[in-house]
Amino acid sequence: MTHSYEQYPQLKQMMDKCKQHKHQYVMVQLMDGYQMDGIILDVDDEYIHLAIPASEQYDYVEQDDYRYGYPGYPGYGYGYGYGYGPRNRLRRLVLPLAGLAALSLIPW
């Protein structure tokens, strides 16, 4: 479902601002007041794609409580911190442009 930019000019402004700051570290505020930081990977007519820190703060994203069939166990092997390789430090998050309330650039 694409939005009419004539009907929603603020959506066009937000998309342009996101495109202007592509590959930069930003703070995003959603309509519900929730804030998160990340790097803008891509922007299209409807969505913004972010790389966000993989921390406990953002556990609602891709939470997998049933790894290997047992709830609460952290898993093992590559990427889980047991010496088999690096941990994933970033997660990919896709948000609708219509849900963004504000975007601000964060200095490194």
Side-chain angles (χ1 to χ4, degrees):
M1 173 181 161
T2 58
H3 301 283
S4 169
Y5 294 123
E6 294 81 28
Q7 189 176 6
Y8 302 103
Q10 69 276 12
L11 190 60
K12 173 76 168 134
Q13 291 172 352
M14 186 59 74
M15 183 179 74
D16 291 341
K17 190 171 186 180
C18 289
K19 284 183 178 182
Q20 178 185 1
H21 295 299
K22 190 173 175 181
H23 302 296
Q24 294 182 349
Y25 190 50
V26 297
M27 175 69 70
V28 175
Q29 182 174 351
L30 304 178
M31 292 291 191
D32 64 358
Y34 192 79
Q35 294 180 344
M36 65 184 68
D37 59 311
I39 299 168
I40 298 177
L41 299 175
D42 195 20
V43 181
D44 58 28
D45 289 341
E46 293 187 44
Y47 300 101
I48 177 174
H49 302 254
L50 295 171
I52 62 170
S55 68
E56 307 236 350
Q57 177 182 1
Y58 301 120
D59 266 351
Y60 72 95
V61 180
E62 297 179 28
Q63 182 64 26
D64 185 9
D65 286 337
Y66 293 93
R67 289 187 195 108
Y68 309 109
Y70 299 100
Y73 288 89
Y76 55 88
Y78 180 80
Y80 288 107
Y82 294 103
Y84 294 101
R87 290 188 63 101
N88 293 330
R89 293 193 175 113
L90 298 172
R91 293 181 181 180
R92 187 177 186 101
L93 177 65
V94 180
L95 298 171
L97 276 173
L100 296 183
L103 178 103
S104 55
L105 193 60
I106 300 176
W108 287 83

